[in-house]
Amino acid sequence: MAERPAHATVPSPRTAGSSSVLELVGPSPKLLLGSAVTGLLVLLLFLAWGYQAKNGLGVAGINRPVFWGFYIVNFVFWIGVSHAGTLISAILRVTGAQWRRPLTRCAEAITVFALMIGGLFPLIHMGRPWLFYRMLPLPDYRELWPNFRSPLQWDLVAIFTYLTGSILYLALPLIPDLALLRDRYAGQHPVLARLYRTLALGWRGTHRQWRALDWGIRILAVAIIPVAVSVHSIVSWDFAMTRVPGWKSTIFAPYFVVGAIYSGIAMLLFTMALLRRGLRLERVLTDGVFDKLGLLFVAMSMLWVYFTFSEHLTTWYGGDVAEARVHHELFHGPLSPAFWTMVVVNAIIPLAVLPFRRGRRPLPIALVSLGVVVGMWLERLLIVVPSLSVPRLAYTVGSYAPSPVEIAITVGAVGLFAFLYFGFVQLFPIVSAWEVREGEVEEEEHAREVLAAEEPA
Amino acid sequence: MSARHRLHVASADADRARRALAVLRAAEATEIEVRGSIPLPDDLDPEPPAARGRSKVLPAALAGALAGGLGAWLIASQTALSYPIFTGGMPLVAGPPVAIVTYEGTALGLILATVAAVVLEGRLWRRARVPEPLDGLLADGWILTHASVPETALERAVRALEAIGGPEAVRTAVDDAPAAAAG
């Protein structure tokens, strides 16, 4: 670890801001209301899932030839959204972007919850989730071992690695803040005091601990980037390793990764705007943070447009009959309204609004982000369904309409995500107190140096 | 031989913490520990640079990556060999899938080993001790210094500490019971 300069100082406690961030922890009427409303959606999710488990997959709308419907759409969508946090946070950490400080934890929490929900959908799609253990390399009496040649098995391995890494990447920088909460709640609230005492481990804030933590965060930040890229590449290979028209594409992996980061940033910006408004975080989640993340957002928007255009241009120009049928479904078929909506909300609106500084202010960027989140879900739908509706063998043409159970589970999953997030915000600092504080110190130090340099000798 | 008392100092900034550290060293304090709510400058580390040693987190992470990769490679390749399926003349152990599984196993091993190394090196496995008197000030940005000071030097050390910047800038607390007998 690089030596810290001897002149580095910490700010006077009178100007310290970390305690104000810590004061956000705890229930508030707004958050409790949010938890209650989203809790009802969670109930809906589990009721619908239970109904499906009892009655079988027949209650879902998936049928020959469209065997993948909303569940796989949601799986791909939520895994994509999970790229919000860990990847963005890690990239910003590795590149030393100072403006990352207020948003890293907000983003990392999105990753963990989105991944949990994304990982839930293959189980829901299985119909009999209790047989999931057969994908694990466990010896059993039937000698059924997982087939590692299957991309679905790669999914399991990759998502497990990513989820583990994301949870630890969220937890490690949380420890110093948990220790502050432990000290704050000591002797006040027995349940919370015990929770924070347990989670803070033996953190005291000594040099030895800060050094170890610094190493740990830096290594995890570097390690998590290729893992995140690999996860969505592998999800794309679930499709691209087949001969299904519209899926067999050499650029599917980078296309998926770009889409994932795009939807992840959109979810992050939307969540940040809600947090800023709901928790009065204007001082921490400043217009400048939205502006800078907005620039990244517009860059990802352009990349997404480029990849989408390339993907459709090459297959259309190739003139393959089966591919042409998929294109016809997209451009003129029953799903064409979804396709053109996707084009508007993912490409036209962001590129019309975001290049301007005014468009990157919290309210407009939140609205654009919400559009992109919806648009990216539609994109996943348009990848999964049309290709299966019009497969190569023309006599198996079919259509897909989601059943109420699938719709309930989809809506419930959104509720579960929000429910988990509301819970997290009430129990843990959603802004990293020590990282924000460290940034303030560095700014103060810089200002002091500038003042000293400007003073006449 | 005299009894020693545990002295706790909260300093408003790093300059005052440096001076407090100097006072404590002059008072022949032992078991000095400096704590902060953000990473502190290296010159506030009571441990001399030579005694700090190099961090073991990176070597541990690399070892974990190696172990994870090896384990994943073994699972993927040995599964294919132990439970062979019909491959139509293709090799039983398929390279690309094994490479993908090995890659993920390497990453998983690296991540787990990194966290384990942080826990061990930072001694985080030692559950929090009894709260210190000034712990609550950490969240407000104070730097805490704890030390064991001989009873004979205690009064002098406390006066010197309070002179550093007045009670607004430096706060002290002394445990009434002697901490330990020093030889």
Side-chain angles (χ1 to χ4, degrees), chain B residues 32-91:
Chain B
I32 303 175
E33 187 182 59
V34 182
R35 299 161 61 202
S37 59
I38 59 169
L40 295 167
D42 275 331
D43 63 337
L44 272 179
D45 189 347
E47 247 182 319
R52 282 177 212 156
R54 291 176 70 88
S55 171
K56 305 281 192 301
V57 178
L58 184 59
L62 294 176
L66 198 66
L70 191 65
W73 176 77
L74 280 173
I75 286 179
S77 59
Q78 294 307 305
T79 297
L81 290 174
S82 307
Y83 300 90
I85 58 173
F86 180 69
T87 56
M90 300 296 282

Coordinates of all heavy atoms in Angstrom, one line a residue, chain B residues 32-91:
Chain B
I32 N 0.0 1.6 22.8 CA -0.6 2.8 22.1 C -1.4 2.3 20.9 O -0.9 1.5 20.1 CB 0.4 3.9 21.7 CG1 1.3 4.3 22.9 CG2 -0.3 5.1 21.1 CD1 2.4 5.2 22.6
E33 N -2.6 2.9 20.8 CA -3.5 2.5 19.6 C -4.1 3.8 19.1 O -4.7 4.5 19.9 CB -4.5 1.5 20.1 CG -5.4 0.9 19.0 CD -6.4 0.0 19.5 OE1 -7.3 0.4 20.3 OE2 -6.4 -1.2 19.0
V34 N -4.0 4.1 17.8 CA -4.7 5.2 17.3 C -5.8 4.8 16.3 O -5.6 3.8 15.5 CB -3.7 6.1 16.5 CG1 -4.3 7.4 15.9 CG2 -2.5 6.5 17.3
R35 N -7.0 5.4 16.5 CA -8.1 4.9 15.7 C -8.8 6.1 15.0 O -8.8 7.2 15.6 CB -9.1 4.2 16.6 CG -8.6 3.0 17.3 CD -9.5 2.7 18.5 NE -10.8 2.4 18.1 CZ -11.9 2.5 18.9 NH1 -11.7 2.9 20.2 NH2 -13.1 2.2 18.5
G36 N -9.3 5.8 13.9 CA -10.0 6.9 13.2 C -11.2 6.3 12.4 O -11.3 5.1 12.2
S37 N -12.2 7.2 12.0 CA -13.3 6.8 11.3 C -13.0 6.8 9.8 O -13.9 6.5 9.0 CB -14.6 7.6 11.6 OG -14.3 9.0 11.3
I38 N -11.9 7.3 9.4 CA -11.4 7.2 8.0 C -9.9 6.8 8.1 O -9.3 6.9 9.1 CB -11.5 8.6 7.3 CG1 -10.7 9.7 8.0 CG2 -13.0 9.0 7.1 CD1 -10.6 10.9 7.1
P39 N -9.4 6.3 7.0 CA -7.9 6.0 7.0 C -7.1 7.1 7.5 O -7.3 8.3 7.0 CB -7.7 5.6 5.5 CG -9.0 5.2 4.9 CD -10.0 6.1 5.6
L40 N -6.1 6.8 8.3 CA -5.3 7.9 8.9 C -4.0 8.0 8.3 O -3.5 7.1 7.6 CB -5.1 7.6 10.4 CG -6.4 7.6 11.2 CD1 -6.2 7.0 12.6 CD2 -6.9 9.0 11.4
P41 N -3.3 9.2 8.4 CA -2.0 9.3 7.8 C -1.0 8.3 8.5 O -1.2 7.9 9.6 CB -1.6 10.7 8.2 CG -2.8 11.4 8.6 CD -3.8 10.4 9.0
D42 N 0.0 7.9 7.7 CA 0.9 6.8 8.2 C 1.7 7.3 9.4 O 2.1 6.4 10.2 CB 1.8 6.4 7.0 CG 1.1 5.3 6.2 OD1 0.3 4.6 6.8 OD2 1.4 5.2 5.0
D43 N 2.0 8.6 9.5 CA 2.8 9.0 10.6 C 2.0 9.0 11.9 O 2.6 9.2 13.0 CB 3.4 10.4 10.4 CG 2.3 11.5 10.3 OD1 1.2 11.1 9.9 OD2 2.6 12.6 10.5
L44 N 0.7 8.6 11.9 CA -0.1 8.5 13.1 C -0.1 7.0 13.5 O -0.8 6.7 14.5 CB -1.5 9.0 12.9 CG -1.7 10.5 13.2 CD1 -3.1 10.9 12.9 CD2 -1.3 10.8 14.6
D45 N 0.6 6.2 12.8 CA 0.6 4.8 13.1 C 1.6 4.6 14.2 O 2.8 4.9 14.1 CB 1.0 3.9 11.9 CG 0.9 2.4 12.1 OD1 0.7 2.0 13.3 OD2 0.9 1.7 11.1
P46 N 1.2 4.1 15.4 CA 2.1 4.0 16.5 C 3.2 2.9 16.3 O 4.2 2.9 16.9 CB 1.2 3.6 17.7 CG 0.0 3.2 17.2 CD -0.2 3.8 15.8
E47 N 2.9 2.0 15.4 CA 3.8 1.0 15.0 C 4.9 1.5 14.2 O 4.7 2.2 13.2 CB 3.1 -0.2 14.3 CG 3.0 -1.5 15.0 CD 2.4 -2.5 14.1 OE1 1.4 -2.2 13.4 OE2 2.8 -3.7 14.2
P48 N 6.2 1.3 14.5 CA 7.3 1.8 13.6 C 7.2 1.1 12.2 O 6.8 -0.1 12.2 CB 8.5 1.4 14.4 CG 8.1 0.3 15.4 CD 6.7 0.5 15.6
P49 N 7.6 1.8 11.2 CA 7.4 1.3 9.8 C 8.0 -0.1 9.6 O 7.4 -1.0 9.0 CB 8.1 2.3 8.9 CG 8.1 3.6 9.7 CD 8.1 3.2 11.1
A50 N 9.2 -0.3 10.3 CA 9.8 -1.6 10.1 C 9.0 -2.8 10.7 O 9.1 -3.9 10.2 CB 11.2 -1.6 10.8
A51 N 8.2 -2.4 11.7 CA 7.5 -3.5 12.4 C 6.2 -3.8 11.7 O 5.5 -4.8 12.0 CB 7.2 -3.1 13.8
R52 N 5.8 -2.9 10.7 CA 4.5 -3.1 10.1 C 4.4 -4.4 9.2 O 3.5 -5.1 9.1 CB 4.1 -1.9 9.3 CG 3.6 -0.8 10.1 CD 3.3 0.5 9.3 NE 3.6 1.7 10.0 CZ 3.9 2.8 9.5 NH1 4.0 3.0 8.2 NH2 4.1 3.9 10.2
G53 N 5.5 -4.5 8.5 CA 5.6 -5.6 7.5 C 4.7 -5.4 6.3 O 4.0 -4.4 6.2
R54 N 4.9 -6.3 5.4 CA 4.1 -6.2 4.1 C 2.7 -6.9 4.3 O 2.6 -7.9 5.1 CB 4.8 -6.8 3.0 CG 6.0 -6.0 2.6 CD 6.8 -6.8 1.5 NE 6.0 -6.7 0.2 CZ 6.1 -5.8 -0.7 NH1 7.0 -4.8 -0.5 NH2 5.5 -5.8 -1.8
S55 N 1.7 -6.3 3.7 CA 0.4 -6.9 3.8 C 0.4 -8.3 3.1 O 1.0 -8.5 2.1 CB -0.7 -6.0 3.1 OG -1.9 -6.7 3.1
K56 N -0.3 -9.2 3.7 CA -0.4 -10.6 3.2 C -1.7 -10.8 2.4 O -2.0 -11.9 1.9 CB -0.4 -11.6 4.3 CG 0.7 -11.5 5.3 CD 2.0 -12.1 4.8 CE 3.1 -12.3 5.8 NZ 3.5 -11.0 6.4
V57 N -2.5 -9.7 2.2 CA -3.8 -9.9 1.5 C -3.6 -10.3 0.1 O -4.2 -11.2 -0.4 CB -4.6 -8.6 1.6 CG1 -6.0 -8.8 0.9 CG2 -4.9 -8.2 3.1
L58 N -2.7 -9.6 -0.6 CA -2.5 -9.9 -2.0 C -2.0 -11.4 -2.2 O -2.5 -12.1 -3.1 CB -1.6 -8.9 -2.7 CG -1.4 -9.1 -4.2 CD1 -2.7 -9.0 -5.0 CD2 -0.4 -8.0 -4.8
P59 N -0.9 -11.8 -1.5 CA -0.5 -13.2 -1.7 C -1.6 -14.2 -1.4 O -1.7 -15.2 -2.1 CB 0.7 -13.3 -0.7 CG 1.2 -11.9 -0.4 CD 0.0 -11.0 -0.7
A60 N -2.3 -13.9 -0.3 CA -3.4 -14.8 0.1 C -4.5 -14.8 -1.1 O -5.0 -15.9 -1.4 CB -4.1 -14.3 1.4
A61 N -4.7 -13.7 -1.7 CA -5.7 -13.6 -2.7 C -5.3 -14.5 -3.9 O -6.0 -15.3 -4.5 CB -6.0 -12.2 -3.2
L62 N -4.0 -14.4 -4.2 CA -3.4 -15.1 -5.4 C -3.5 -16.6 -5.1 O -3.8 -17.4 -6.0 CB -2.0 -14.6 -5.7 CG -1.9 -13.2 -6.2 CD1 -0.5 -12.8 -6.4 CD2 -2.7 -13.0 -7.5
A63 N -3.1 -17.0 -3.8 CA -3.2 -18.4 -3.5 C -4.6 -18.9 -3.6 O -4.8 -20.0 -4.0 CB -2.6 -18.6 -2.1
G64 N -5.5 -18.1 -3.1 CA -6.9 -18.5 -3.2 C -7.4 -18.7 -4.6 O -8.1 -19.6 -4.9
A65 N -6.9 -17.8 -5.5 CA -7.3 -17.9 -6.9 C -6.8 -19.2 -7.5 O -7.5 -19.9 -8.2 CB -6.7 -16.7 -7.7
L66 N -5.5 -19.5 -7.1 CA -4.9 -20.8 -7.6 C -5.7 -22.0 -7.1 O -6.1 -22.9 -7.9 CB -3.5 -20.8 -7.1 CG -2.5 -21.8 -7.8 CD1 -2.3 -21.4 -9.2 CD2 -1.2 -21.9 -7.1
A67 N -6.0 -22.0 -5.8 CA -6.8 -23.1 -5.2 C -8.2 -23.2 -5.9 O -8.6 -24.3 -6.2 CB -6.9 -22.9 -3.7
G68 N -8.8 -22.0 -6.0 CA -10.2 -22.0 -6.6 C -10.2 -22.5 -8.0 O -11.0 -23.3 -8.4
G69 N -9.2 -22.1 -8.8 CA -9.1 -22.5 -10.2 C -8.8 -24.0 -10.3 O -9.5 -24.7 -11.1
L70 N -7.9 -24.5 -9.4 CA -7.6 -25.9 -9.5 C -8.8 -26.7 -9.1 O -9.1 -27.7 -9.7 CB -6.4 -26.1 -8.5 CG -5.8 -27.5 -8.6 CD1 -5.1 -27.7 -9.9 CD2 -4.8 -27.7 -7.4
G71 N -9.5 -26.3 -8.0 CA -10.7 -27.0 -7.6 C -11.8 -27.1 -8.7 O -12.3 -28.1 -8.9
A72 N -12.0 -25.9 -9.3 CA -13.0 -25.9 -10.3 C -12.7 -26.7 -11.5 O -13.5 -27.4 -12.1 CB -13.3 -24.4 -10.8
W73 N -11.4 -26.7 -11.9 CA -10.9 -27.5 -13.0 C -11.1 -29.0 -12.7 O -11.5 -29.8 -13.6 CB -9.4 -27.2 -13.3 CG -8.8 -28.0 -14.4 CD1 -9.0 -27.9 -15.7 CD2 -8.0 -29.2 -14.2 NE1 -8.3 -28.8 -16.4 CE2 -7.7 -29.6 -15.5 CE3 -7.4 -29.8 -13.1 CZ2 -6.9 -30.8 -15.7 CZ3 -6.6 -30.9 -13.3 CH2 -6.3 -31.4 -14.6
L74 N -10.8 -29.4 -11.5 CA -10.9 -30.8 -11.1 C -12.4 -31.2 -11.1 O -12.7 -32.2 -11.7 CB -10.4 -31.0 -9.7 CG -8.8 -31.1 -9.6 CD1 -8.4 -31.1 -8.1 CD2 -8.4 -32.4 -10.3
I75 N -13.3 -30.3 -10.6 CA -14.7 -30.7 -10.6 C -15.2 -30.9 -12.0 O -15.8 -31.9 -12.4 CB -15.5 -29.6 -9.8 CG1 -15.3 -29.8 -8.3 CG2 -17.0 -29.8 -10.1 CD1 -16.0 -28.7 -7.5
A76 N -14.9 -29.9 -12.9 CA -15.4 -29.9 -14.2 C -14.9 -31.0 -15.0 O -15.6 -31.8 -15.7 CB -15.2 -28.6 -14.9
S77 N -13.5 -31.2 -15.0 CA -12.9 -32.3 -15.8 C -13.2 -33.7 -15.3 O -13.5 -34.6 -16.0 CB -11.4 -32.0 -16.0 OG -10.8 -32.0 -14.7
Q78 N -13.1 -33.8 -14.0 CA -13.3 -35.2 -13.4 C -14.7 -35.6 -13.4 O -15.0 -36.8 -13.5 CB -12.8 -35.2 -11.9 CG -11.3 -35.0 -11.8 CD -10.5 -36.0 -12.7 OE1 -10.6 -37.2 -12.6 NE2 -9.6 -35.4 -13.6
T79 N -15.7 -34.7 -13.4 CA -17.1 -35.0 -13.6 C -17.3 -35.7 -14.9 O -17.9 -36.7 -15.1 CB -18.0 -33.8 -13.4 OG1 -17.8 -33.3 -12.1 CG2 -19.4 -34.1 -13.6
A80 N -16.7 -35.0 -16.0 CA -16.9 -35.5 -17.3 C -16.2 -36.9 -17.5 O -16.8 -37.8 -18.2 CB -16.3 -34.5 -18.3
L81 N -15.1 -37.1 -16.8 CA -14.4 -38.4 -16.9 C -15.1 -39.5 -16.1 O -15.2 -40.6 -16.5 CB -13.0 -38.3 -16.5 CG -12.1 -37.5 -17.4 CD1 -10.7 -37.3 -16.8 CD2 -12.0 -38.1 -18.7
S82 N -15.6 -39.1 -14.9 CA -16.2 -40.1 -14.0 C -17.6 -40.5 -14.4 O -18.0 -41.6 -14.1 CB -16.3 -39.5 -12.6 OG -15.0 -39.0 -12.2
Y83 N -18.3 -39.6 -15.0 CA -19.7 -39.9 -15.5 C -19.8 -39.6 -17.0 O -20.4 -38.6 -17.4 CB -20.7 -39.0 -14.7 CG -20.6 -39.3 -13.2 CD1 -19.7 -38.6 -12.4 CD2 -21.4 -40.3 -12.6 CE1 -19.6 -38.8 -11.0 CE2 -21.3 -40.6 -11.3 CZ -20.4 -39.8 -10.5 OH -20.3 -40.1 -9.1
P84 N -19.1 -40.4 -17.7 CA -19.0 -40.1 -19.2 C -20.4 -40.2 -19.8 O -21.2 -41.0 -19.5 CB -18.1 -41.2 -19.7 CG -18.1 -42.3 -18.7 CD -18.4 -41.7 -17.4
I85 N -20.6 -39.2 -20.7 CA -21.9 -39.3 -21.5 C -21.5 -39.4 -23.0 O -20.3 -39.2 -23.4 CB -22.7 -38.0 -21.3 CG1 -21.9 -36.7 -21.7 CG2 -23.2 -37.9 -19.9 CD1 -22.8 -35.5 -21.6
F86 N -22.5 -39.8 -23.8 CA -22.2 -40.0 -25.2 C -21.9 -38.7 -25.9 O -22.7 -37.7 -25.8 CB -23.4 -40.6 -25.9 CG -23.3 -40.9 -27.3 CD1 -22.4 -41.9 -27.8 CD2 -23.9 -40.1 -28.3 CE1 -22.2 -42.1 -29.1 CE2 -23.7 -40.3 -29.6 CZ -22.9 -41.3 -30.1
T87 N -20.7 -38.6 -26.5 CA -20.3 -37.3 -27.1 C -20.1 -37.4 -28.6 O -19.6 -36.5 -29.2 CB -18.9 -36.8 -26.4 OG1 -17.9 -37.9 -26.6 CG2 -19.1 -36.5 -25.0
G88 N -20.5 -38.5 -29.2 CA -20.4 -38.6 -30.6 C -19.0 -38.5 -31.2 O -18.8 -37.8 -32.2
G89 N -18.0 -39.1 -30.5 CA -16.7 -39.0 -30.9 C -15.9 -37.8 -30.5 O -14.7 -37.7 -30.8
M90 N -16.5 -36.9 -29.9 CA -15.8 -35.7 -29.4 C -15.1 -36.0 -28.0 O -15.5 -37.0 -27.4 CB -16.8 -34.5 -29.2 CG -17.5 -34.1 -30.5 SD -16.4 -33.5 -31.7 CE -16.1 -31.8 -31.0
P91 N -14.1 -35.3 -27.6 CA -13.4 -35.6 -26.4 C -14.4 -35.5 -25.2 O -15.4 -34.7 -25.2 CB -12.4 -34.5 -26.2 CG -12.3 -33.8 -27.5 CD -13.6 -34.1 -28.3

